Amino acid sequence: MALIKSIDMRPDGIFLEVKVSKSEYRYLALHNKHVVVLPMGKEMFNEELTVGKLGNSNRVMLPKRFLKKNDIKTLPKKAPATIVSIGNNKYLIVGLVSEQKGIPIFEEG
């Protein structure tokens, strides 16, 4: 897990100095945009999702109440996802909503 070494609050932004392991750095590599900093405590992961097998595939079940609480009306047919390993823990990160630019898509109802 990354450790925040210092927080510097300036008029032009908040700057964080972090200490990361070599395995965490491979996720960052040369990327300096689109980096998310999240706490990994129990208060961050306050929802449980049902997982299991359906036919020959594994599924993660998203309850409607969970989607409604987060103002998600529809789910994409294909969602970008990755599993991140940090130490002995593995986390599933799924992109459920993305801003689409280009040709509008019209749906019924």
Side-chain angles (χ1 to χ4, degrees):
M1 294 284 181
L3 175 68
I4 296 177
K5 299 288 282 182
S6 67
I7 300 174
D8 188 9
M9 299 180 87
R10 300 180 192 167
D12 59 334
I14 299 171
F15 296 84
L16 296 176
E17 180 183 350
V18 295
K19 178 182 177 183
V20 297
S21 67
K22 288 183 181 183
S23 64
E24 291 167 322
Y25 180 73
R26 77 171 182 210
Y27 292 116
L28 292 172
L30 301 174
H31 297 91
N32 60 3
K33 291 183 181 179
H34 307 291
V35 175
V36 176
V37 177
L38 297 172
M40 299 301 285
K42 289 182 181 180
E43 60 279 350
M44 182 66 189
F45 296 96
N46 58 0
E47 295 284 344
E48 288 185 346
L49 302 177
T50 302
V51 296
K53 281 193 164 252
L54 182 64
N56 292 327
S57 299
N58 289 313
R59 299 284 190 254
V60 175
M61 307 299 178
L62 299 173
K64 288 182 183 178
R65 65 170 169 73
F66 182 68
L67 297 173
K68 188 174 183 178
K69 186 168 89 173
N70 291 285
D71 196 30
I72 299 173
K73 292 176 180 50
T74 60
L75 291 173
K77 292 199 184 285
K78 303 275 185 178
T82 188
I83 294 179
V84 177
S85 298
I86 301 173
N88 291 331
N89 301 315
K90 296 192 185 304
Y91 299 94
L92 171 66
I93 300 175
V94 181
L96 297 177
V97 177
S98 64
E99 188 176 310
Q100 298 286 331
K101 294 183 180 179
I103 301 171
I105 299 170
F106 298 101
E107 297 179 359
E108 287 187 35

